Amino acid sequence: MRYIVVYRTFLQPLQVSAWIGLKRGTGTKHDVFQWQRNKTVIPKYQPWCISEPNNGFGGENCTEMAKGYGCLNDLNCEKLRPYICERGKDRRKKLQ
């Protein structure tokens, strides 16, 4: 659900793909993707595009939300893309 909101709110109107902060693990965790905040994600439970993640050209270690579909695609981290960041809780005290 969260992915759909992000896609429809930010990416679909602009027709762009964007990095989402999900990166392929290293070593024994090569088939596992992790959020930059080190939250492990199991690929089969995420909205991957058909046949993704595939590491198609080797070195596809980062994840974009693909334009036109809103599904996830693994891609080389050196590709230029806009990015979406998660905003933390607002820790400012409420004015009374």
Side-chain angles (χ1 to χ4, degrees), residues 17-89:
S17 296
W19 297 124
I20 62 167
L22 191 60
K23 196 168 182 178
R24 187 182 304 274
T26 57
T28 59
K29 295 184 177 183
H30 189 70
D31 290 334
V32 174
F33 283 75
Q34 295 178 326
W35 291 107
Q36 293 292 53
R37 299 177 120 189
N38 293 324
K39 295 179 185 174
T40 300
V41 175
I42 301 170
K44 65 181 178 181
Y45 298 123
Q46 300 304 316
W48 292 100
C49 296
I50 296 171
S51 300
E52 299 292 346
N54 63 4
N55 202 17
F57 298 100
E60 291 187 341
N61 296 322
C62 290
T63 306
E64 68 173 353
M65 185 173 283
K67 71 177 176 182
Y69 303 104
C71 55
L72 304 183
N73 175 44
D74 60 331
L75 198 63
N76 185 300
C77 300
E78 294 180 10
K79 297 281 185 180
L80 294 178
R81 295 279 187 275
Y83 54 89
I84 295 174
C85 295
E86 181 180 20
R87 183 176 140 183
K89 287 185 177 181

